[in-house]
Structures are given as structure tokens and as C-alpha cells.
Amino acid sequence: MQKFRVRLTLIFILLIGASMLAAGLFMSRMLKESHIDSLKTNMERELKVILFSLEWKQSGTEAEQIQYFTDLATQLKHSADARVTYIRSDGKVLGDSDYKPQEMENHLTRKEVAEAAKTGEFGSDMRYSTTIQRNMLYVVVPVKDGSSIKGFVRLAMSLEDVDASIRKVWYVVLIGLLTVFVIAALISYRVAYGLTRPIEMITRVANQITNMNYKARVHLRKKDEVGQLGQAINQMADSLQLQMNRILEDESRLKTVLENMISGVVMIDRDSKIVLLNRSAEDILGFSVQELLGKKFDEAKQQYEFTQLIQECIDSRELIRDEMIFYYPSERILEINLIPISLTDDEWAGVLIVLHDITAVRRLERMRSEFVANVSHELKTPIAAVKGFAETLLAGALNDKETARSFLQIIFDESERLNRLIGDILELSKIESKRIPLQFSPVHMNTFVGNCLHVMNAEAAKKSITLDMQVDDDMYIEADEDRLRQILINLLSNGINYTPEGGKVKVKVEPIDAIGDEYERIIMTITDTGMGIPKKDLPRIFERFYRVDKARSRSSGGTGLGLSIVKHLVELHKGTIRVESEVGMGTKFMIELPVIH
């Protein structure tokens, strides 16, 4: 732990030192740039003054011009405290305060001169002067005659003062850095000690817990990560002390699971006594825990067959699965699973009995069987008619053309009915198994309903039945148009078939809970003025092969599957269908459909 404390202290010191060093570099750079900018501004101001009082001499020989500008540069140096240079427009040095112009090279390519010549304003540069052997700051201003440049005046100042200022800053920074290092070392050590001390305490307590001293605890008031670690150590010690309690809690949870299982669970031990019984088993067997627990299974007042089955499992010590009808407390069909339990290969532990109530499953199977019987019955009628009339024709009725024609028409009608019945059965099977993919597209309801009524016009005209519709012209929904047509035509056909002559069948489509032009669902209502449906039959009219008036249904050519198909197709569209009817007044089917799927 001491090594970790030292490493932590060194890391803090290095971080603080690096921060101070970065701050010193930044400060020195900013100070240098600020000093140079200020110096450049002063030099530009002085050049403006010099330019204002300057008389640029162009007459005389070149030697006279050099002498004139050299004397002028020497005089200005004392007042400007800077090196002064006069340069002709072609780069020739005419005068310099610190060096002989004759020995100086052409200055036209110097950066500051080139910049001033290009912009017509001030030009500047910082570089090492080979002439006077030091770093210099150069500022140049062009001397203009109208728009042409006659020459240049340049001031140059040494950067030694700037460098000296920067060195002073560095001295201060270094001294401050050393001072901060010392303070940081003390603070860092203190911080590191404060961080590592709780870890030392936690390590010591962990060692005590390892030595089975479960009463040891970490006493920390901190809420940070170290405090959380100490709390975790304390919780670990608590968990070790509470292992037995947790075992009891696990037993309680297992008991809760057993009590809330739908299946009944009964356990019989090696002495043939009932040692476990959940709530579902109580309900299934009709006896409470107090009545059965601790008793031998053959003394528990159970059905003889059930008792014999348990005894058979104990004798054979093999898995047994069987079904049995229990008559107490109510008639139920139970699936009984008896599982022998062995702790080892030679040690017998008892029998686990799992009881499943399969009454509902068997009821569904019976319904399926009834469906097959209904299908067989529905198929038998047209087949018997076809067979009977065919035999009559074969027996000699063919000689009577009118009778033969009548019989053949009946055979044709019955075969058509048989074909419709088989088609509806296959269609219903596909719909119920969701093997029909729906192709959703926008459907204009006004046009759609009009087309459906047009299809049914001929059938309605035979009975002088009026077909009417009430649909807004701008109403659209997304649906499978073919399946939606199948729904509407089926209901219209039923309405026409069960409405007496001169009646009326109406289709109305309207939005539900519309807000302005926006609505999410529509309701399609198909109303007729037919015979109506008794209230006792309304809950069952969507069942397969269910008919209110069986004789009337068969005479109308119905298969008994139409409304069942309609219901399933509506549900595939995520809609609902309901019916209202009154005997002698008519029937109303209401279909609610979402606008967008």
C-alpha cells in the first residue's frame, strides 16, 4: 500500500508540474507576441512622423545622395532609438544609420520591402540580421510620389529587450513552479494518504473475513466509490451470516411457485405418506392439505383407480402416464404423470405426481369431431340426392325427357351446392390458419360499395328487393379489396336471401370519432328488412354450420360457413363485427375497420 501511495503522489506532482509548464509556455508566447505587436505599432507611428517631415532628394550624384541619406539616418537614430535605413525604389540602399550603404546588398527582395512595395502600405519582418549580428524587427513604409514609389524608409529595432522580458517571465515561472511543486508534493501526499487509508482498512477487514471472523466490519462514512467498496465488504459479511436465512427464503419461494402452479403437484415419500400437496392439487382432488398431509396415499379417500395407479408406480418404479375421469368434486378429465424419485441408484425416495386438468383440451377435440360430423352430414345430403336421381335416371327415367331434364337440373344444383360447400370449407381452413396473405391498398369506398351493389342487382331484382347505399364520396381506407368484397357480397347475399319480396337492403359507411377531415376508423353497416334472428341464436350465428332456420338455409343454397368466413376475414383486417336483430323487423351487421394498417 505504501508503494501505491508513493505512485499516486508522484502522479499528482507530475500532473500539476505539466500544467504549470504548459501555462508558462503559453504565457511567455502571449507576452512575446504582445510585446512585438506593441513595438511594431510604435515603429509604424514613428515612420509616419519621419515620412511627414522627409524631403526625398533625387538630384545630385549617387555619392551625394548616399551622403545625404546617411547623415539623415544618423540624425534620426538618436531621436527614434532605432536603426534607420533609406532604400531606393530599385532596392539600392542610399543611407543607413549603423552600416555603410556601399557595402550593403540590394534590399528589394527583403520580405518587409517586398511586402511594402506590393501593398503600398507598411511591411514588417523578424529575422536575424547578418549585418549587425542580432535578431531584429523590421518595419518599412514606402515613400510615394502620387501613385509611384520613390523609395522606402525602414526602421529596425533589436529584439534583445523582448527576449530579456521573456527570460524574466521564465525565471518567475520556474520559481513559481518549484514552489508549487513543493506545495503540490505535500498536498498530493495528504490526498493520497486519504485515498489509500480506507483501502488499507478494507484490506485488513477482508483478511479477517478470510480467517472466518464474520463480525469484522469496515467503518467508513464516505459515500464515494471507496465507501461503496467498504459497504460491499460489509454486505458480503452479512450475506455469509445470513446463509441459513437465505436457504429458508429459497424454500419459501419454491413453496410459492408450487402453490401458484396451475398443475397439481403431490409428493409421496418412501413410507407411502403424502408429504407435499399444492393448492391446485387440493382443488383437483377435493381435499385440503390438513386432510391429506401425513396420511398414506391408500388412506386418503381417493378413487380406487388413482390409488391403484400410485401403487403400480411404487411397485414398478417406472414413469407412468395415464388419463382418468375424476367425479369428485366435479367431473374432470385429468392427465396423471407419476415420476419415481431416487436419490441414488439404490435409495428409493418416493413418487412425484403431477396432475393436469385437460377437460378443456378434450372439449376442443370433441368440437373438432363434431365439425367433422357436421361436414359429413352436409356432404351426405347433396351426395345422396345426386346418387338417388342418377339411379332413377339409370333405371329408365331417361326415356321421359321432361322428368330426365328435371332430375338432371336437380343433380346439377346439388353438385353446385356440393362444390360451394367444399370451396367454403377450404377457404375457411386457409383463413383460420392465416395462410392467405392480404394485399393492402387504398380503397375508394363509394366506388367499391357501388360495384358490390351492381354485382348483386340481378339477384335482388328477382325478389324486387331495393339496394341502397350511403357512402361519402371522399372516403378511403387501406384494405385487401378482394377480401373486403368477399365480406360485403356475403352479407348482401344473406340479406337478399332472408328478406321477403319487396324488401330493402342498405349499406351505410361512415367515420367513427372524426375530428374535422381526420378519422382513424370507419363503420360499415348492412341493414335488411328480413325475417330477423332470434336473440337466443345471435351468439352462435358466426359458428361453422350453425343455421337459425335449417330448412330455409338449405333451400337458399347456403353452406352455413359464410358468416364464419366473414368473421375471420374481418379479424384479419384488425376489425370487429357485431350483429343486432329483431324477429320480423330485420337484421343489422356492423363492421368496424381501421383506416390505415
Side-chain angles (χ1 to χ4, degrees):
M1 193 58 67
Q2 292 292 334
K3 292 181 179 179
F4 177 71
R5 187 177 300 166
V6 172
R7 289 200 305 271
L8 196 60
T9 302
L10 290 176
I11 290 171
F12 285 156
I13 292 173
L14 289 174
L15 287 174
I16 295 172
S19 301
M20 288 294 296
L21 184 61
L25 291 171
F26 179 77
M27 286 173 57
S28 64
R29 183 175 182 83
M30 292 297 294
L31 182 62
K32 183 175 181 179
E33 290 178 358
S34 176
H35 199 155
I36 290 173
D37 289 340
S38 177
L39 188 62
K40 188 186 298 183
T41 301
N42 291 333
M43 292 172 69
E44 289 176 356
R45 189 180 300 112
E46 290 175 0
L47 280 172
K48 288 180 181 179
V49 174
I50 293 172
L51 194 62
F52 180 78
S53 60
L54 176 65
E55 181 181 353
W56 190 270
K57 183 178 181 180
Q58 293 180 315
S59 59
T61 63
E62 184 175 291
E64 290 176 349
Q65 290 179 358
I66 289 174
Q67 184 62 44
Y68 170 78
F69 283 108
T70 299
D71 294 338
L72 190 58
T74 304
Q75 292 175 6
L76 287 174
K77 179 181 180 180
H78 297 293
S79 59
D81 194 22
R83 179 184 174 188
V84 182
T85 306
Y86 291 91
I87 305 169
R88 203 164 57 194
S89 60
D90 60 356
K92 171 67 178 178
V93 177
L94 298 178
D96 188 272
S97 60
D98 292 2
Y99 204 76
K100 293 181 179 181
Q102 297 84 349
E103 298 178 3
M104 296 176 67
E105 59 188 18
N106 191 288
H107 279 40
L108 189 62
T109 58
R110 299 293 171 91
K111 183 179 178 181
E112 66 276 10
V113 176
E115 182 181 350
K118 181 179 180 181
T119 62
E121 300 292 340
F122 292 96
S124 61
D125 190 24
M126 283 190 301
R127 65 175 180 274
Y128 181 79
S129 175
T130 56
T131 307
I132 58 176
Q133 306 293 316
R134 65 182 67 175
N135 287 323
M136 302 291 289
L137 172 62
Y138 298 94
V139 179
V140 176
V141 65
V143 180
K144 296 182 180 179
D145 183 11
S147 60
S148 62
I149 297 176
K150 297 187 293 183
F152 303 91
V153 180
R154 184 181 71 177
L155 285 183
M157 295 189 70
S158 174
L159 294 177
E160 288 182 352
D161 294 337
V162 177
D163 294 335
S165 298
I166 299 302
R167 282 195 294 273
K168 289 180 181 180
V169 171
W170 269 110
Y171 292 147
V172 173
V173 169
L174 288 174
I175 293 172
L177 189 61
L178 291 174
T179 304
V180 170
F181 269 9
V182 175
I183 298 173
L186 297 175
I187 296 175
S188 299
Y189 182 82
R190 181 59 186 170
V191 172
Y193 180 83
L195 292 174
T196 56
R197 177 64 178 167
I199 298 176
E200 291 178 352
M201 295 173 59
I202 292 171
T203 304
R204 185 163 55 251
V205 171
N207 290 332
Q208 292 178 6
I209 293 174
T210 303
N211 295 326
M212 304 183 70
N213 179 16
Y214 300 119
K215 294 183 179 180
R217 294 292 184 273
V218 179
H219 301 287
L220 290 176
R221 296 181 180 178
K222 295 183 176 181
K223 301 296 183 182
D224 57 5
E225 290 78 3
V226 177
Q228 293 175 7
L229 177 60
Q231 187 67 25
I233 295 294
N234 293 339
Q235 291 174 356
M236 182 182 68
D238 292 337
S239 68
L240 292 173
Q241 286 185 324
L242 297 175
Q243 279 186 0
M244 292 305 298
N245 291 337
R246 290 197 174 184
I247 292 174
L248 294 176
E249 289 177 4
D250 292 339
E251 290 180 354
S252 176
R253 289 173 188 154
L254 179 59
K255 183 178 179 182
T256 302
V257 171
L258 287 173
E259 290 299 318
N260 291 281
M261 284 180 64
I262 298 175
S263 301
V265 177
V266 181
M267 182 174 286
I268 299 173
D269 65 5
R270 68 184 71 186
D271 298 323
S272 301
K273 292 182 179 180
I274 300 173
V275 295
L276 179 64
L277 190 76
N278 70 347
R279 188 178 304 167
S280 296
E282 292 181 68
D283 297 336
I284 292 172
L285 298 177
F287 292 93
S288 65
V289 173
Q290 291 78 10
E291 293 176 292
L292 297 180
L293 210 61
K295 291 186 178 180
K296 289 190 175 183
F297 70 89
D298 53 359
E299 299 174 356
K301 300 179 181 178
Q302 292 300 308
Q303 289 186 182
Y304 176 76
E305 295 85 353
F306 183 40
T307 303
Q308 288 298 107
L309 205 61
I310 297 173
Q311 187 62 54
E312 182 182 346
C313 181
I314 293 174
D315 294 339
S316 64
R317 298 191 180 183
E318 293 180 354
L319 175 67
I320 297 177
R321 181 179 179 182
D322 199 359
E323 289 185 14
M324 190 176 296
I325 299 176
F326 276 58
Y327 299 97
Y328 180 83
S330 61
E331 184 174 339
R332 299 182 185 180
I333 303 174
L334 300 182
E335 180 186 283
I336 304 173
N337 295 273
L338 297 99
I339 304 101
I341 303 173
S342 300
L343 299 178
T344 61
D345 294 338
D346 299 327
E347 187 176 0
W348 169 251
V351 177
L352 178 66
I353 305 172
V354 182
L355 306 171
H356 300 291
D357 188 348
I358 58 172
T359 307
V361 175
R362 293 295 176 259
R363 185 182 297 116
L364 290 174
E365 290 178 352
R366 186 170 63 252
M367 290 176 62
R368 188 182 296 112
S369 177
E370 289 175 356
F371 172 69
V372 173
N374 286 333
V375 171
S376 301
H377 179 72
E378 293 293 335
L379 292 174
K380 183 178 179 181
T381 301
I383 289 174
V386 170
K387 181 181 178 182
F389 285 109
E391 287 177 347
T392 304
L393 290 172
L394 290 173
L398 282 171
N399 298 327
D400 187 346
K401 291 186 178 181
E402 290 298 326
T403 303
R405 182 177 182 82
S406 175
F407 284 3
L408 289 173
Q409 183 63 45
I410 293 172
I411 291 173
F412 178 78
D413 292 341
E414 291 298 328
S415 63
E416 279 292 309
R417 181 172 166 230
L418 184 62
N419 185 55
R420 287 196 302 272
L421 178 61
I422 294 173
D424 285 349
I425 292 172
L426 293 175
E427 181 79 2
L428 182 60
S429 175
K430 290 179 181 179
I431 293 172
E432 286 184 337
S433 61
K434 294 182 173 58
R435 287 184 288 137
I436 298 180
L438 299 184
Q439 304 295 329
F440 288 95
S441 61
V443 178
H444 183 225
M445 293 304 294
N446 188 285
T447 304
F448 169 76
V449 174
N451 291 338
C452 290
L453 293 182
H454 181 72
V455 171
M456 302 304 297
N457 269 334
E459 187 176 343
K462 294 177 183 179
K463 299 177 66 176
S464 300
I465 293 175
T466 303
L467 298 181
D468 191 18
M469 60 178 278
Q470 183 179 341
V471 187
D472 291 342
D473 189 54
D474 59 347
M475 186 175 293
Y476 288 84
I477 69 168
E478 282 193 13
D480 186 315
E481 188 169 353
D482 292 337
R483 297 300 172 183
L484 192 61
R485 183 180 293 107
Q486 186 176 357
I487 293 170
L488 184 54
I489 288 180
N490 209 322
L491 294 176
L492 288 172
S493 179
N494 277 356
I496 293 170
N497 288 335
Y498 295 103
T499 298
E501 292 187 5
K504 183 178 181 180
V505 178
K506 180 180 179 182
V507 180
K508 181 180 180 181
V509 183
E510 56 187 340
I512 302 176
D513 301 327
I515 302 175
D517 295 333
E518 298 294 328
Y519 51 92
E520 294 184 357
R521 298 179 70 83
I522 65 162
I523 182 167
M524 182 164 56
T525 307
I526 298 92
T527 308
D528 63 59
T529 58
M531 65 176 65
I533 303 170
K535 288 187 177 180
K536 65 181 181 64
D537 295 310
L538 286 176
R540 301 190 61 188
I541 63 169
F542 293 109
E543 292 182 11
R544 292 168 292 191
F545 296 112
Y546 185 80
R547 292 185 174 93
V548 177
D549 185 348
K550 295 180 173 55
R552 178 71 182 272
S553 297
R554 287 196 176 93
S555 65
S556 65
T559 64
L561 296 174
L563 289 180
S564 182
I565 292 173
V566 166
K567 181 176 182 294
H568 283 88
L569 286 176
V570 169
E571 289 175 351
L572 284 177
H573 280 81
K574 300 180 181 177
T576 58
I577 182 171
R578 64 184 191 275
V579 60
E580 295 177 0
S581 185
E582 187 174 346
V583 176
M585 301 297 293
T587 305
K588 181 193 293 184
F589 286 91
M590 291 157 286
I591 301 172
E592 290 187 18
L593 294 172
V595 174
I596 299 176
H597 290 267

